[in-house]
Amino acid sequence: MGAYRDLLRTPGVGRIIAAQLTARFPNGMMSLGLLLHVEHITGSYGAAGLVLAATSVGQAVAGPVTSRWMGVWGMRRVLTLTMLVCALAITAIALIAMPVPAYMAFGLLAGLATPPVQSAVRTIYPKMVNSRQLTPLFSLDASLQELIWVFAPVVITFAALQAGTTPALILVVAILLGGCTWFIASPELGRVRIPRSRRSIGKVLAKPPVLLGTVIGFLLIGACAAVEAGVVASFGHGGFEAGIILALFAVGSLAGGLSFGHLPIGSWAMARRMAIVTIGLVLTTVSLNAFWLGGTLIIAGIGIAPALAVIFAITSASVKFSDTAEAYGWIGTGQLIGAAAGSAIAGFLIDGMGPGGAYWAAAAFAAVGVLVSVAWARSFPDLRGRDASPLPDTEPVPTIT
Protein backbone atom coordinates (compact mmCIF):
# COMPACT_ATOMS: atom_id res chain seq x y z
CA MET A 1 0.00 0.00 0.00
CA GLY A 2 3.05 2.25 0.20
CA ALA A 3 2.80 3.01 -3.51
CA TYR A 4 -0.77 4.24 -3.06
CA ARG A 5 0.11 6.32 0.00
CA ASP A 6 2.84 8.05 -2.00
CA LEU A 7 0.36 8.67 -4.80
CA LEU A 8 -2.20 10.30 -2.55
CA ARG A 9 0.51 12.53 -1.07
CA THR A 10 1.32 13.84 -4.54
CA PRO A 11 -0.22 17.33 -4.87
CA GLY A 12 -3.57 17.27 -6.62
CA VAL A 13 -3.88 13.50 -7.07
CA GLY A 14 -6.36 12.87 -4.27
CA ARG A 15 -8.47 15.85 -5.32
CA ILE A 16 -8.60 14.94 -9.01
CA ILE A 17 -9.50 11.32 -8.20
CA ALA A 18 -12.33 12.42 -5.91
CA ALA A 19 -13.60 15.00 -8.42
CA GLN A 20 -13.64 12.62 -11.39
CA LEU A 21 -15.32 9.85 -9.38
CA THR A 22 -18.05 12.31 -8.36
CA ALA A 23 -18.42 13.53 -11.95
CA ARG A 24 -18.72 9.94 -13.20
CA PHE A 25 -21.06 8.81 -10.41
CA PRO A 26 -24.19 9.66 -12.48
CA ASN A 27 -23.00 7.13 -15.10
CA GLY A 28 -23.87 4.41 -12.61
CA MET A 29 -27.26 5.99 -11.88
CA MET A 30 -28.53 7.10 -15.29
CA SER A 31 -29.43 3.77 -16.90
CA LEU A 32 -31.36 2.44 -13.93
CA GLY A 33 -32.96 5.84 -13.34
CA LEU A 34 -34.17 6.03 -16.94
CA LEU A 35 -35.42 2.44 -16.78
CA LEU A 36 -37.45 3.10 -13.62
CA HIS A 37 -38.81 6.43 -14.85
CA VAL A 38 -39.86 5.44 -18.37
CA GLU A 39 -41.40 2.18 -17.13
CA HIS A 40 -43.31 4.15 -14.47
CA ILE A 41 -44.62 6.63 -17.04
CA THR A 42 -45.43 4.19 -19.87
CA GLY A 43 -46.04 0.98 -17.92
CA SER A 44 -43.77 -0.86 -20.37
CA TYR A 45 -40.33 -2.32 -19.78
CA GLY A 46 -40.05 -2.66 -23.56
CA ALA A 47 -40.40 1.09 -23.98
CA ALA A 48 -37.87 1.67 -21.21
CA GLY A 49 -35.48 -0.73 -22.93
CA LEU A 50 -35.75 1.24 -26.18
CA VAL A 51 -34.85 4.46 -24.36
CA LEU A 52 -31.87 2.76 -22.70
CA ALA A 53 -30.75 1.37 -26.05
CA ALA A 54 -30.88 4.84 -27.61
CA THR A 55 -28.88 6.26 -24.70
CA SER A 56 -26.24 3.53 -25.01
CA VAL A 57 -25.94 4.08 -28.77
CA GLY A 58 -25.38 7.78 -28.13
CA GLN A 59 -22.66 7.08 -25.55
CA ALA A 60 -20.91 4.56 -27.82
CA VAL A 61 -20.91 6.93 -30.80
CA ALA A 62 -19.89 10.00 -28.83
CA GLY A 63 -16.97 8.52 -26.86
CA PRO A 64 -14.18 8.92 -29.44
CA VAL A 65 -15.70 12.07 -30.95
CA THR A 66 -16.12 14.21 -27.84
CA SER A 67 -12.79 12.94 -26.50
CA ARG A 68 -11.09 14.09 -29.70
CA TRP A 69 -12.83 17.47 -29.50
CA MET A 70 -10.92 18.18 -26.29
CA GLY A 71 -7.76 18.53 -28.39
CA VAL A 72 -9.51 21.04 -30.65
CA TRP A 73 -11.47 23.25 -28.26
CA GLY A 74 -9.93 22.39 -24.90
CA MET A 75 -11.06 20.11 -22.09
CA ARG A 76 -13.00 22.71 -20.13
CA ARG A 77 -15.08 23.91 -23.08
CA VAL A 78 -16.01 20.40 -24.23
CA LEU A 79 -16.76 19.16 -20.71
CA THR A 80 -18.89 22.23 -19.93
CA LEU A 81 -20.89 21.99 -23.15
CA THR A 82 -21.54 18.26 -22.85
CA MET A 83 -22.40 18.59 -19.15
CA LEU A 84 -25.06 21.23 -19.85
CA VAL A 85 -26.60 19.42 -22.83
CA CYS A 86 -26.69 16.09 -20.98
CA ALA A 87 -28.25 17.72 -17.91
CA LEU A 88 -30.93 19.44 -20.03
CA ALA A 89 -31.77 16.18 -21.84
CA ILE A 90 -32.20 14.23 -18.60
CA THR A 91 -34.24 17.08 -17.08
CA ALA A 92 -36.56 17.04 -20.09
CA ILE A 93 -37.12 13.29 -19.70
CA ALA A 94 -37.82 13.79 -15.99
CA LEU A 95 -40.25 16.69 -16.26
CA ILE A 96 -42.03 16.43 -19.63
CA ALA A 97 -44.56 13.73 -20.52
CA MET A 98 -43.92 12.69 -24.12
CA PRO A 99 -44.34 9.73 -26.48
CA VAL A 100 -41.76 6.95 -26.46
CA PRO A 101 -39.96 8.13 -29.66
CA ALA A 102 -39.42 11.52 -28.01
CA TYR A 103 -38.04 9.83 -24.88
CA MET A 104 -35.70 7.90 -27.18
CA ALA A 105 -34.57 11.11 -28.88
CA PHE A 106 -33.74 12.77 -25.58
CA GLY A 107 -32.08 9.56 -24.37
CA LEU A 108 -29.93 9.56 -27.50
CA LEU A 109 -29.05 13.22 -26.88
CA ALA A 110 -28.11 12.49 -23.25
CA GLY A 111 -25.89 9.64 -24.44
CA LEU A 112 -24.23 11.74 -27.14
CA ALA A 113 -23.55 14.49 -24.59
CA THR A 114 -22.23 12.29 -21.78
CA PRO A 115 -19.18 14.27 -20.56
CA PRO A 116 -15.90 12.52 -21.51
CA VAL A 117 -14.57 12.73 -17.96
CA GLN A 118 -12.90 9.32 -18.11
CA SER A 119 -10.89 10.20 -21.22
CA ALA A 120 -9.95 13.59 -19.78
CA VAL A 121 -8.68 12.35 -16.44
CA ARG A 122 -6.67 9.47 -17.91
CA THR A 123 -5.06 11.93 -20.29
CA ILE A 124 -4.16 14.19 -17.36
CA TYR A 125 -2.71 11.47 -15.10
CA PRO A 126 0.65 11.12 -16.90
CA LYS A 127 1.24 14.86 -16.41
CA MET A 128 0.61 14.68 -12.65
CA VAL A 129 2.94 11.90 -11.49
CA ASN A 130 6.35 10.48 -12.33
CA SER A 131 6.80 7.38 -14.48
CA ARG A 132 7.18 5.10 -11.44
CA GLN A 133 3.81 6.17 -10.07
CA LEU A 134 1.77 6.02 -13.28
CA THR A 135 0.95 2.29 -13.32
CA PRO A 136 -0.16 2.32 -9.64
CA LEU A 137 -2.27 5.40 -10.40
CA PHE A 138 -4.07 3.65 -13.27
CA SER A 139 -4.64 0.68 -10.94
CA LEU A 140 -5.99 2.87 -8.14
CA ASP A 141 -8.33 4.58 -10.61
CA ALA A 142 -9.59 1.25 -11.95
CA SER A 143 -10.12 -0.02 -8.40
CA LEU A 144 -11.92 3.01 -7.01
CA GLN A 145 -14.33 3.18 -9.94
CA GLU A 146 -15.88 0.02 -8.50
CA LEU A 147 -17.34 2.27 -5.81
CA ILE A 148 -19.54 3.80 -8.52
CA TRP A 149 -21.02 0.45 -9.50
CA VAL A 150 -21.54 -0.58 -5.86
CA PHE A 151 -23.22 2.57 -4.55
CA ALA A 152 -24.78 4.34 -7.56
CA PRO A 153 -27.54 1.75 -8.20
CA VAL A 154 -28.36 1.75 -4.48
CA VAL A 155 -28.65 5.55 -4.39
CA ILE A 156 -30.89 5.83 -7.47
CA THR A 157 -33.13 2.95 -6.38
CA PHE A 158 -33.53 4.38 -2.88
CA ALA A 159 -34.33 7.84 -4.29
CA ALA A 160 -36.88 6.43 -6.74
CA LEU A 161 -38.62 4.37 -4.04
CA GLN A 162 -38.66 7.12 -1.43
CA ALA A 163 -39.29 10.24 -3.52
CA GLY A 164 -40.39 9.01 -6.95
CA THR A 165 -38.69 8.57 -10.29
CA THR A 166 -38.84 12.25 -11.28
CA PRO A 167 -36.94 13.49 -8.19
CA ALA A 168 -34.53 10.56 -8.70
CA LEU A 169 -33.63 11.79 -12.19
CA ILE A 170 -33.32 15.36 -10.89
CA LEU A 171 -30.85 13.97 -8.34
CA VAL A 172 -28.85 12.50 -11.23
CA VAL A 173 -28.78 15.94 -12.84
CA ALA A 174 -27.71 17.62 -9.59
CA ILE A 175 -24.80 15.21 -9.05
CA LEU A 176 -23.83 15.51 -12.73
CA LEU A 177 -23.69 19.31 -12.53
CA GLY A 178 -21.95 19.38 -9.16
CA GLY A 179 -19.41 16.65 -9.91
CA CYS A 180 -18.53 17.91 -13.39
CA THR A 181 -18.24 21.50 -12.15
CA TRP A 182 -15.83 20.34 -9.44
CA PHE A 183 -13.79 18.39 -11.99
CA ILE A 184 -13.80 21.21 -14.57
CA ALA A 185 -12.65 23.69 -11.91
CA SER A 186 -9.64 21.49 -11.02
CA PRO A 187 -6.39 23.40 -11.66
CA GLU A 188 -4.96 20.46 -13.61
CA LEU A 189 -7.44 21.04 -16.43
CA GLY A 190 -6.02 24.51 -16.85
CA ARG A 191 -2.40 23.40 -16.74
CA VAL A 192 -2.68 20.58 -19.26
CA ARG A 193 -3.61 21.22 -22.88
CA ILE A 194 -4.20 18.35 -25.29
CA PRO A 195 -2.64 19.24 -28.66
CA ARG A 196 -4.78 18.87 -31.77
CA SER A 197 -4.31 15.45 -33.35
CA ARG A 198 -3.00 15.46 -36.91
CA ARG A 199 -4.40 12.00 -37.64
CA SER A 200 -7.89 11.32 -38.95
CA ILE A 201 -10.38 9.92 -36.46
CA GLY A 202 -10.09 6.18 -35.96
CA LYS A 203 -6.45 5.94 -37.08
CA VAL A 204 -5.38 5.46 -33.47
CA LEU A 205 -6.98 1.98 -33.62
CA ALA A 206 -4.15 0.98 -35.96
CA LYS A 207 -1.94 0.87 -32.86
CA PRO A 208 -2.06 -2.81 -31.75
CA PRO A 209 -2.17 -2.02 -27.99
CA VAL A 210 -5.15 0.33 -28.48
CA LEU A 211 -7.00 -2.20 -30.61
CA LEU A 212 -6.22 -4.99 -28.14
CA GLY A 213 -7.32 -2.82 -25.24
CA THR A 214 -10.60 -2.09 -27.03
CA VAL A 215 -11.23 -5.76 -27.87
CA ILE A 216 -10.32 -7.09 -24.43
CA GLY A 217 -12.32 -4.31 -22.76
CA PHE A 218 -15.29 -5.42 -24.87
CA LEU A 219 -14.82 -9.04 -23.70
CA LEU A 220 -14.15 -8.19 -20.05
CA ILE A 221 -17.13 -5.87 -19.63
CA GLY A 222 -19.27 -8.28 -21.67
CA ALA A 223 -18.45 -10.95 -19.10
CA CYS A 224 -19.35 -8.59 -16.25
CA ALA A 225 -22.68 -7.68 -17.88
CA ALA A 226 -23.52 -11.37 -18.35
CA VAL A 227 -22.76 -11.99 -14.68
CA GLU A 228 -25.07 -9.15 -13.65
CA ALA A 229 -27.89 -10.57 -15.78
CA GLY A 230 -27.29 -14.04 -14.33
CA VAL A 231 -27.33 -12.86 -10.73
CA VAL A 232 -30.55 -10.89 -11.26
CA ALA A 233 -32.15 -13.89 -12.99
CA SER A 234 -31.02 -16.19 -10.18
CA PHE A 235 -32.38 -14.16 -7.30
CA GLY A 236 -34.90 -11.72 -8.80
CA HIS A 237 -34.78 -7.95 -9.31
CA GLY A 238 -35.67 -7.32 -5.69
CA GLY A 239 -33.72 -10.20 -4.20
CA PHE A 240 -31.54 -9.26 -1.25
CA GLU A 241 -29.00 -11.87 -2.30
CA ALA A 242 -28.54 -10.30 -5.75
CA GLY A 243 -27.33 -7.00 -4.34
CA ILE A 244 -24.97 -8.69 -1.90
CA ILE A 245 -23.47 -10.98 -4.55
CA LEU A 246 -22.92 -8.16 -7.04
CA ALA A 247 -21.35 -6.08 -4.26
CA LEU A 248 -18.96 -8.96 -3.51
CA PHE A 249 -18.03 -9.06 -7.21
CA ALA A 250 -17.11 -5.37 -7.05
CA VAL A 251 -15.31 -5.80 -3.72
CA GLY A 252 -13.19 -8.55 -5.28
CA SER A 253 -12.22 -6.16 -8.08
CA LEU A 254 -11.41 -3.39 -5.60
CA ALA A 255 -9.26 -5.76 -3.52
CA GLY A 256 -7.50 -7.11 -6.60
CA GLY A 257 -6.69 -3.67 -7.90
CA LEU A 258 -5.29 -2.44 -4.61
CA SER A 259 -3.34 -5.66 -3.98
CA PHE A 260 -1.90 -6.48 -7.40
CA GLY A 261 -2.53 -3.57 -9.73
CA HIS A 262 0.77 -1.86 -8.87
CA LEU A 263 2.84 -4.82 -10.12
CA PRO A 264 5.01 -4.21 -13.21
CA ILE A 265 3.23 -4.86 -16.49
CA GLY A 266 4.90 -7.28 -18.86
CA SER A 267 3.72 -8.77 -22.13
CA TRP A 268 1.90 -11.61 -20.34
CA ALA A 269 0.28 -9.49 -17.63
CA MET A 270 -3.07 -9.31 -19.40
CA ALA A 271 -3.21 -13.07 -20.00
CA ARG A 272 -2.53 -13.80 -16.33
CA ARG A 273 -5.12 -11.33 -15.08
CA MET A 274 -7.78 -12.45 -17.53
CA ALA A 275 -7.04 -16.05 -16.51
CA ILE A 276 -7.98 -15.18 -12.91
CA VAL A 277 -11.29 -13.73 -14.12
CA THR A 278 -11.93 -16.82 -16.26
CA ILE A 279 -11.20 -19.29 -13.46
CA GLY A 280 -13.62 -17.53 -11.14
CA LEU A 281 -16.35 -17.36 -13.78
CA VAL A 282 -15.95 -21.01 -14.79
CA LEU A 283 -16.41 -21.92 -11.12
CA THR A 284 -19.72 -20.01 -11.04
CA THR A 285 -21.19 -22.57 -13.45
CA VAL A 286 -20.87 -25.35 -10.84
CA SER A 287 -23.68 -24.16 -8.56
CA LEU A 288 -26.23 -21.36 -8.24
CA ASN A 289 -26.00 -21.41 -4.45
CA ALA A 290 -25.72 -17.84 -3.16
CA PHE A 291 -22.68 -18.55 -0.98
CA TRP A 292 -20.91 -20.37 -3.82
CA LEU A 293 -21.62 -17.56 -6.31
CA GLY A 294 -20.45 -14.93 -3.84
CA GLY A 295 -17.15 -16.73 -3.26
CA THR A 296 -16.44 -17.50 -6.90
CA LEU A 297 -17.29 -13.97 -8.00
CA ILE A 298 -14.84 -12.58 -5.46
CA ILE A 299 -12.18 -14.73 -7.18
CA ALA A 300 -13.26 -13.52 -10.63
CA GLY A 301 -13.38 -9.92 -9.44
CA ILE A 302 -9.76 -10.03 -8.25
CA GLY A 303 -8.62 -9.95 -11.87
CA ILE A 304 -10.93 -7.21 -13.18
CA ALA A 305 -9.39 -3.97 -11.91
CA PRO A 306 -5.81 -5.21 -12.59
CA ALA A 307 -6.85 -6.11 -16.15
CA LEU A 308 -8.37 -2.65 -16.64
CA ALA A 309 -5.16 -1.12 -15.29
CA VAL A 310 -3.21 -2.99 -18.00
CA ILE A 311 -5.56 -1.60 -20.66
CA PHE A 312 -5.09 1.97 -19.44
CA ALA A 313 -1.30 1.67 -19.09
CA ILE A 314 -0.60 0.04 -22.47
CA THR A 315 -2.82 2.62 -24.16
CA SER A 316 -1.00 5.50 -22.52
CA ALA A 317 2.41 4.08 -23.42
CA SER A 318 1.57 3.40 -27.06
CA VAL A 319 0.14 6.64 -28.46
CA LYS A 320 1.15 10.25 -28.77
CA PHE A 321 -0.19 12.60 -26.14
CA SER A 322 -2.45 14.25 -28.75
CA ASP A 323 -4.14 10.88 -29.40
CA THR A 324 -4.62 9.66 -25.83
CA ALA A 325 -8.09 11.12 -25.27
CA GLU A 326 -9.44 9.62 -28.49
CA ALA A 327 -7.80 6.28 -27.70
CA TYR A 328 -9.54 6.15 -24.32
CA GLY A 329 -12.76 7.16 -26.05
CA TRP A 330 -12.54 4.09 -28.31
CA ILE A 331 -11.82 1.87 -25.32
CA GLY A 332 -14.89 3.26 -23.58
CA THR A 333 -16.96 2.57 -26.69
CA GLY A 334 -15.70 -1.02 -26.78
CA GLN A 335 -16.74 -1.48 -23.17
CA LEU A 336 -20.21 -0.05 -23.79
CA ILE A 337 -20.75 -2.38 -26.76
CA GLY A 338 -19.45 -5.26 -24.64
CA ALA A 339 -21.96 -4.46 -21.90
CA ALA A 340 -24.81 -4.48 -24.43
CA ALA A 341 -23.61 -7.71 -26.07
CA GLY A 342 -23.06 -9.48 -22.76
CA SER A 343 -26.50 -8.54 -21.49
CA ALA A 344 -28.21 -9.54 -24.75
CA ILE A 345 -26.47 -12.93 -25.09
CA ALA A 346 -27.01 -13.71 -21.43
CA GLY A 347 -30.69 -12.81 -21.79
CA PHE A 348 -31.20 -15.23 -24.66
CA LEU A 349 -29.39 -18.01 -22.78
CA ILE A 350 -31.41 -17.35 -19.63
CA ASP A 351 -34.60 -17.75 -21.66
CA GLY A 352 -33.36 -21.01 -23.17
CA MET A 353 -31.31 -22.58 -20.36
CA GLY A 354 -32.24 -20.76 -17.19
CA PRO A 355 -29.97 -18.49 -15.09
CA GLY A 356 -27.01 -20.85 -15.47
CA GLY A 357 -26.74 -19.91 -19.13
CA ALA A 358 -25.64 -16.39 -18.20
CA TYR A 359 -22.65 -17.69 -16.24
CA TRP A 360 -21.60 -19.87 -19.17
CA ALA A 361 -21.79 -16.77 -21.37
CA ALA A 362 -19.67 -14.79 -18.90
CA ALA A 363 -17.07 -17.58 -18.73
CA ALA A 364 -16.96 -17.74 -22.54
CA PHE A 365 -16.40 -13.99 -22.87
CA ALA A 366 -13.53 -14.14 -20.37
CA ALA A 367 -12.01 -17.27 -21.94
CA VAL A 368 -11.91 -15.58 -25.33
CA GLY A 369 -10.16 -12.67 -23.61
CA VAL A 370 -7.48 -15.08 -22.37
CA LEU A 371 -7.06 -16.56 -25.85
CA VAL A 372 -6.70 -13.11 -27.41
CA SER A 373 -4.19 -12.10 -24.73
CA VAL A 374 -2.10 -15.23 -25.31
CA ALA A 375 -2.29 -15.18 -29.11
CA TRP A 376 -1.18 -11.54 -29.33
CA ALA A 377 1.06 -11.42 -26.24
CA ARG A 378 3.94 -10.05 -28.30
CA SER A 379 1.80 -7.07 -29.28
CA PHE A 380 1.46 -5.99 -25.64
CA PRO A 381 4.24 -3.55 -24.71
CA ASP A 382 6.56 -4.67 -21.92
CA LEU A 383 6.37 -1.81 -19.42
CA ARG A 384 8.66 -3.33 -16.79
CA GLY A 385 11.18 -0.64 -16.04
CA ARG A 386 9.71 1.55 -18.76
CA ASP A 387 7.84 4.84 -18.62
CA ALA A 388 4.12 4.34 -19.33
CA SER A 389 3.64 8.01 -20.24
CA PRO A 390 2.34 8.89 -23.73
CA LEU A 391 4.82 9.38 -26.56
CA PRO A 392 5.79 13.05 -27.01
CA ASP A 393 4.36 14.93 -29.97
CA THR A 394 6.81 16.17 -32.53
CA GLU A 395 6.31 19.85 -31.81
CA PRO A 396 6.34 21.91 -28.59
CA VAL A 397 3.06 21.86 -26.71
CA PRO A 398 2.26 25.11 -24.88
CA THR A 399 0.91 24.82 -21.36
CA ILE A 400 -1.01 27.36 -19.35
CA THR A 401 0.78 28.31 -16.15
Side-chain angles (χ1 to χ4, degrees), residues 6-302:
D6 291 343
L7 269 176
L8 294 176
R9 290 182 185 135
T10 302
V13 169
R15 181 185 63 249
I16 202 76
I17 289 176
Q20 64 97 5
L21 285 175
T22 306
R24 290 167 56 200
F25 197 80
N27 294 348
M29 303 172 68
M30 189 161 61
S31 293
L32 186 53
L34 290 174
L35 175 71
L36 294 171
H37 182 72
V38 176
E39 190 279 331
H40 174 72
I41 297 297
T42 65
S44 169
Y45 278 104
L50 289 173
V51 176
L52 288 184
T55 305
S56 297
V57 168
Q59 291 173 327
V61 170
V65 178
T66 54
S67 297
R68 187 181 174 90
W69 283 352
M70 291 191 291
V72 180
W73 295 303
M75 284 186 282
R76 281 180 166 156
R77 289 181 181 177
V78 173
L79 289 167
T80 300
L81 175 62
T82 52
M83 172 190 71
L84 293 174
V85 173
C86 186
L88 288 172
I90 298 172
T91 301
I93 292 174
L95 299 180
I96 303 173
M98 59 185 84
V100 172
Y103 280 126
M104 292 175 63
F106 278 103
L108 177 65
L109 181 60
L112 288 169
T114 299
V117 174
Q118 186 170 233
S119 297
V121 74
R122 287 171 186 158
T123 301
I124 291 170
Y125 281 158
K127 302 298 182 182
M128 296 184 64
V129 298
N130 59 45
S131 58
R132 178 181 56 84
Q133 295 175 308
L134 188 53
T135 296
L137 179 54
F138 281 131
S139 177
L140 182 63
D141 179 275
S143 302
L144 292 179
Q145 73 177 10
E146 294 297 336
L147 298 176
I148 296 173
W149 310 115
V150 172
F151 293 109
V154 175
V155 171
I156 190 66
T157 302
F158 179 81
L161 291 176
Q162 296 299 315
T165 58
T166 296
L169 284 181
I170 296 302
L171 176 63
V172 173
V173 172
I175 297 175
L176 174 69
L177 292 173
C180 285
T181 300
W182 183 16
F183 180 69
I184 292 166
S186 299
E188 290 74 19
L189 268 76
R191 299 190 188 114
V192 177
R193 177 184 173 274
I194 304 173
R196 184 192 295 261
S197 176
R198 298 183 178 275
R199 299 156 64 93
S200 58
I201 190 167
K203 285 290 185 68
V204 72
L205 287 171
K207 295 280 188 180
V210 178
L211 182 58
L212 284 169
T214 302
V215 170
I216 292 175
F218 164 87
L219 294 166
L220 179 61
I221 302 304
C224 294
V227 165
E228 182 174 351
V231 171
V232 170
S234 299
F235 302 101
H237 290 273
F240 178 77
E241 299 93 336
I244 296 296
I245 291 170
L246 290 174
L248 290 173
F249 193 29
V251 166
S253 178
L254 177 62
L258 295 178
S259 301
F260 308 114
H262 66 285
L263 297 177
I265 294 173
S267 299
W268 290 90
M270 181 63 81
R272 288 193 295 268
R273 298 174 193 208
M274 286 299 297
I276 294 172
V277 178
T278 303
I279 290 169
L281 294 181
V282 168
L283 290 174
T284 62
T285 64
V286 174
S287 171
L288 297 183
N289 175 272
F291 290 100
W292 176 263
L293 286 176
T296 54
L297 287 178
I298 287 176
I299 295 171
I302 287 172

Side-chain angles (χ1 to χ4, degrees), residues 303-316:
I304 292 175
L308 290 171
V310 172
I311 292 174
F312 304 149
I314 65 173
T315 300
S316 174

